[in-house]
Amino acid sequence: MKNRLKVLRAEHGWTQQELGDRLGVSRQAVIALETEKHDPSLDLAYRIAALFACPVEDIFQNPHA
């Protein structure tokens, strides 16, 4: 799933570890999301959206939609 996670993280000046800590996931999980190797669970997608104060659709785009 395409996403803007790396860009948003950089805009906030956070490391992958800092973002993981804020979301309660590992740095490896953040890397997997940023490199689009794994899609987030629905719960994690909503937590990410809440953290960045924007709609889920502004962060994640379904390439098949």
Side-chain angles (χ1 to χ4, degrees):
M1 179 178 298
K2 297 284 184 192
N3 70 71
R4 299 181 54 240
L5 193 55
K6 186 174 184 176
V7 171
L8 291 169
R9 178 179 59 78
E11 287 175 356
H12 283 77
W14 297 335
T15 65
Q16 290 169 330
Q17 183 66 54
E18 288 170 330
L19 177 57
D21 290 347
R22 291 171 187 269
L23 294 170
V25 300
S26 68
R27 182 178 67 86
Q28 289 80 7
V30 172
I31 292 168
L33 291 170
E34 287 186 352
T35 58
E36 300 171 0
K37 292 190 187 303
H38 293 286
D39 294 336
S41 66
L42 188 57
D43 175 65
L44 181 55
Y46 279 113
R47 286 189 286 146
I48 292 168
L51 181 64
F52 289 111
C54 62
V56 171
E57 295 84 7
D58 287 355
I59 303 172
F60 300 98
Q61 296 81 40
N62 183 348
H64 304 293

